[in-house]
């Protein structure tokens, strides 16, 4: 078991958001009242475009960290 601490928490959160966005691309729906990963990523990282374009941009951001 590994512990996630420090800057790794942010990277882990980014990877979880990326995974959630991938599921949304595959057709999975969100629960009622919850914000989609797509909207969270667009809002927090100022990305624009379709889900696929945002996915590709965000994946590049994560890989550069």
């Amino acid at each position: 078991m590994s512990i996630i601490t420090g800057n790794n928490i942010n990277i882990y959160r980014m990877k979880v958001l990326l995974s959630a966005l991938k599921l949304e691309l595959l057709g999975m729906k969100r629960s009622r009242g919850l914000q989609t990963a797509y909207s969270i990523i667009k809002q927090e990282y100022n990305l624009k475009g379709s889900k696929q374009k945002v996915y590709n941009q965000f994946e590049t951001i994560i890989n550069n960290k």
Side-chain angles (χ1 to χ4, degrees):
M1 181 172 152
S2 58
I3 298 173
I4 302 167
T5 59
N7 190 40
N8 292 334
I9 293 171
N10 293 331
I11 294 171
Y12 182 79
R13 181 175 180 273
M14 290 171 75
K15 288 183 178 186
V16 168
L17 283 170
L18 185 69
S19 296
L21 180 56
K22 184 174 183 178
L23 290 173
E24 289 176 13
L25 281 167
L26 295 173
M28 188 171 196
K29 303 283 183 190
R30 64 170 174 79
S31 297
R32 293 181 91 190
L34 294 178
Q35 211 175 4
T36 62
Y38 174 64
S39 65
I40 292 170
I41 293 168
K42 282 181 65 172
Q43 187 177 38
E44 290 184 14
Y45 297 94
N46 297 319
L47 300 177
K48 296 187 182 344
S50 66
K51 284 184 183 180
Q52 186 64 54
K53 288 181 182 179
V54 168
Y55 179 86
N56 294 339
Q57 294 170 13
F58 195 53
E59 186 176 41
T60 303
I61 291 170
I62 291 172
N63 290 335
N64 289 335
K65 286 204 173 217

